[in-house]
Amino acid sequence: MTVMAKPEQTNVRTMVSAPSLSPATIAKPDLISVEQAKAMDVARMTDLFKAHLNPGQLHFMKLLGFHKIKIERAEGMFYIDQNGRRILDFFGGFGSLAFGHNHPRILEARKKFQEEKRQEIAIAFMSQYAAALAHNIAKCSPGDLDMVFLGSSGSEAMEAAVKLAERAAGPKRPKIVYAENSFHGKTKGVLGITDGQLYRADFKMAENTVRIPFADIEAVERLFRSDPEVGVIVLETIQGGGGIIQAPAEYWQKLRALCDQYGVLWVADEVQCGYGRSGRFYAFEHYGVIPDVTALAKSLGAGKAAVGAMIARREVYMKAYGTPKTAMIHAMATFGGMGEACVTSIEGLNVLYDEGLIDNAAVTGDYLLQRLQALREKYPKIIKDVRGKGFMIGLEFHDFSQTLPMVLRPIVSVLDDKLKGSLSGFVGALLLRDYDVLVAFTEYNRNVIRLEPPLICQREHVDRFVDAFDSLLSRGIVSIVKDFVKSQVR
């Protein structure tokens, strides 16, 4: 069969010959097999990344030296590369690896699910695994946070949370409040409440949003009092991309009271700071308050599955979707509540409590903070601040000029804005190259190194990381810069 454009059209389409319907004539493309992928070398990986994934991102990977590494496997607190080098993971996939890499109980649960050929996608039927996971999440959640929506990512969970809250607030209260330096996801809806120009780019944002400073309760009260159209406020309990920023307990307690007073629904984004990372299951539990809606993701998939969840108070959920007519407005999507993903999450939640990992995050996380505070006192001209809770810690450097000898500061200070993040990058690259330690960074405050190790992290891992960091800083900034520059020209 031949398909052609009409002769009179000016934009003539190319002639297309449709293939025969006989399967025997359909040639297999030049596909890479699983074993070939496993055996691929770094050069081939680089070529394919550049050709099919993200050429621009490769530029930054090269700056940090990450492009030279091929991870062959991972176990517990460590990545193992092509040379057998064990890399201590203090990055933790932005909080996605509560159990470290390939926890044996998680692997066993998934293996048994596969061996018994249980159902994966059961959209037409009720799933015992989705039902059990929703029950478990509700049991882990305080108060009447007991209605659960299952998805595949933090962005999807936050999209569900904001949609539910906006609908429950009603059409007369359409405005959604968010905070400066917030990060709630990159999908189009939550991009409108993500305060980052890099991610917003030139996309058209929703027009029903209002931005306020984070942790400024007076700004919240003024807005609630002056604008009766405000129906929802969305806040990270601990700002991750903003540089691991917290608000005091009084802020959250007053926020809860103001939301009750003015009838505003509070959505707490716990995608990164939740699931035990702060030393409580939810970070807001430190302050004795409960939001109307919250969201989890990251480690909810136990490091082996993509799982996100929105959790809402029953009263709020029923107001939005509580009738047969409205129940399907935001029902579970195709990959929400998949069988093996749910089983992975069910086992993960049990491991979280069976192994005392929330308590470990609190105790060992406090030890990490203490050791880093000691380093801040040792290197006050380099380290500006250390902050966080549990295993969600930000280590902030001074602007680059302030870390240099006095004679160089006036000359370099004019470049501080352009040099933001450079010291973090130098330190991160050298920690990996010279000490086999992996750390992360933050989106908005580029002077901050973000530490989110797995919740299985022990004192011995903390000591190894801090000792490596201490050794690196002891070289002095000038030597660190020289060492980094040398690494770029090799």
Side-chain angles (χ1 to χ4, degrees):
M1 182 179 71
T2 301
V3 180
M4 298 183 61
K6 293 181 180 179
E8 64 272 17
Q9 290 180 325
T10 55
N11 297 324
V12 180
R13 295 174 183 263
T14 304
M15 185 183 299
V16 177
S17 295
S20 165
L21 296 180
S22 171
T25 66
I26 299 176
K28 182 180 179 180
D30 183 18
L31 303 179
I32 296 171
S33 70
V34 172
E35 286 305 311
Q36 288 171 329
K38 180 184 175 184
M40 191 180 294
D41 62 20
V42 171
R44 177 66 167 151
M45 288 165 57
T46 302
D47 288 342
L48 294 182
F49 193 96
K50 197 184 322 183
H52 304 298
L53 287 171
N54 194 328
Q57 185 179 354
L58 188 61
H59 165 76
F60 297 104
M61 297 177 78
K62 287 181 175 179
L63 281 177
L64 296 168
F66 292 0
H67 69 299
K68 300 175 183 177
I69 295 172
K70 176 189 175 185
I71 299 301
E72 294 286 2
R73 61 191 183 89
E75 184 176 354
M77 288 290 298
F78 296 91
Y79 288 101
I80 298 93
D81 77 357
Q82 71 271 34
N83 301 311
R85 181 167 63 136
R86 292 169 64 83
I87 299 169
L88 181 63
D89 185 6
F90 261 62
F91 166 34
F94 293 118
S96 299
L97 292 162
F99 309 101
H101 300 272
N102 291 306
H103 190 288
R105 276 184 57 178
I106 305 298
L107 295 182
E108 183 59 30
R110 291 169 65 84
K111 180 182 177 183
K112 190 172 182 181
F113 183 94
Q114 295 163 14
E115 289 175 345
E116 295 179 359
K117 298 181 180 178
R118 301 183 218 163
Q119 79 277 13
E120 188 67 87
I121 297 176
I123 300 171
F125 311 102
M126 289 186 290
S127 164
Q128 62 268 52
Y129 307 114
L133 177 56
H135 168 272
N136 286 359
I137 292 172
K139 285 293 182 182
C140 294
S141 303
D144 56 350
L145 287 168
D146 57 6
M147 298 299 292
V148 178
F149 169 89
L150 297 174
S152 305
S153 69
S155 291
E156 187 181 0
M158 283 303 298
E159 292 275 4
V162 173
K163 282 181 69 178
L164 180 139
E166 181 178 346
R167 182 167 173 79
K172 293 182 179 179
R173 307 191 69 174
K175 291 187 179 179
I176 299 170
V177 181
Y178 69 99
E180 292 176 357
N181 294 321
S182 60
F183 182 88
H184 298 292
K186 297 177 184 176
T187 51
K188 189 67 187 299
V190 289
L191 191 60
I193 54 173
T194 289
D195 187 34
Q197 191 52 47
L198 171 67
Y199 304 122
R200 285 178 165 235
D202 54 0
F203 296 111
K204 173 85 172 161
M205 295 295 108
E207 297 178 350
N208 64 325
T209 60
V210 182
R211 186 180 71 162
I212 60 170
F214 182 69
D216 185 342
I217 199 63
E218 286 77 19
V220 174
E221 187 165 15
R222 283 194 301 271
L223 180 60
F224 285 8
R225 189 189 313 119
S226 63
D227 193 344
E229 290 192 343
V230 170
V232 179
I233 184 167
V234 185
L235 299 166
E236 295 161 272
T237 315
I238 302 173
Q239 287 193 325
I244 317 300
I245 305 298
Q246 303 173 82
E250 297 77 18
Y251 173 84
W252 299 109
Q253 292 157 5
K254 181 67 172 176
L255 175 72
R256 179 69 273 177
L258 287 172
C259 286
D260 292 340
Q261 179 181 346
Y262 289 96
V264 175
L265 295 175
W266 167 26
V267 177
D269 183 343
E270 294 261 340
V271 166
Q272 190 169 153
C273 62
Y275 203 85
R277 181 146 297 278
S278 73
R280 299 293 295 270
F281 187 80
Y282 293 105
F284 59 72
E285 292 183 90
H286 288 284
Y287 311 116
V289 290
I290 302 173
D292 300 291
V293 187
T294 189
L296 294 170
K298 302 294 186 187
S299 288
L300 185 58
K304 299 300 290 185
V307 183
M310 173 210 74
I311 311 97
R313 292 173 49 226
R314 173 172 291 274
E315 177 186 355
V316 176
Y317 183 92
M318 296 303 286
K319 191 172 182 181
Y321 306 132
T323 68
K325 185 177 180 180
T326 60
M328 301 304 291
I329 290 175
H330 199 92
M332 217 154 36
T334 306
F335 299 117
M338 287 182 70
E340 189 173 334
C342 287
V343 164
T344 305
S345 294
I346 291 168
E347 185 69 359
L349 283 168
N350 279 279
V351 172
L352 186 70
Y353 287 95
D354 290 347
E355 297 190 358
L357 297 184
I358 300 177
D359 292 332
N360 185 61
V363 175
T364 311
D366 187 58
Y367 176 65
L368 174 58
L369 272 171
Q370 290 175 28
R371 289 221 56 194
L372 291 174
Q373 290 289 2
L375 279 193
R376 182 190 178 196
E377 294 173 7
K378 185 175 181 180
Y379 302 103
K381 294 180 181 179
I382 300 176
I383 301 175
K384 180 180 179 180
D385 192 21
V386 175
R387 55 183 177 264
K389 279 186 185 299
F391 282 138
M392 188 171 181
I393 293 174
L395 193 152
E396 184 174 4
F397 294 114
H398 287 288
D399 283 338
F400 194 73
S401 67
Q402 300 305 302
T403 67
L404 296 173
M406 190 68 70
V407 67
L408 295 175
R409 290 184 188 180
I411 302 168
V412 179
S413 63
V414 296
L415 298 173
D416 271 341
D417 191 54
K418 290 184 178 180
L419 290 173
K420 269 194 186 302
S422 56
L423 184 54
S424 296
F426 299 161
V427 168
L430 294 175
L431 278 172
L432 180 61
R433 190 194 73 176
D434 297 345
Y435 299 94
D436 302 335
V437 173
L438 180 66
V439 297
F441 312 98
T442 62
E443 286 90 341
Y444 304 142
N445 187 341
R446 290 168 290 161
N447 283 346
V448 176
I449 282 181
R450 174 169 18 193
L451 305 174
E452 297 186 17
L455 306 191
I456 63 169
C457 180
Q458 300 297 310
R459 283 191 170 215
E460 65 192 78
H461 304 119
V462 170
D463 289 338
R464 176 177 163 180
F465 163 70
V466 177
D467 290 347
F469 191 54
D470 186 9
S471 175
L472 179 56
L473 293 185
S474 71
R475 300 181 191 180
I477 294 301
V478 174
S479 292
I480 287 173
V481 173
K482 286 181 180 179
D483 290 343
F484 177 80
V485 172
K486 286 179 184 177
S487 73
Q488 296 300 300
V489 297
R490 286 177 182 170

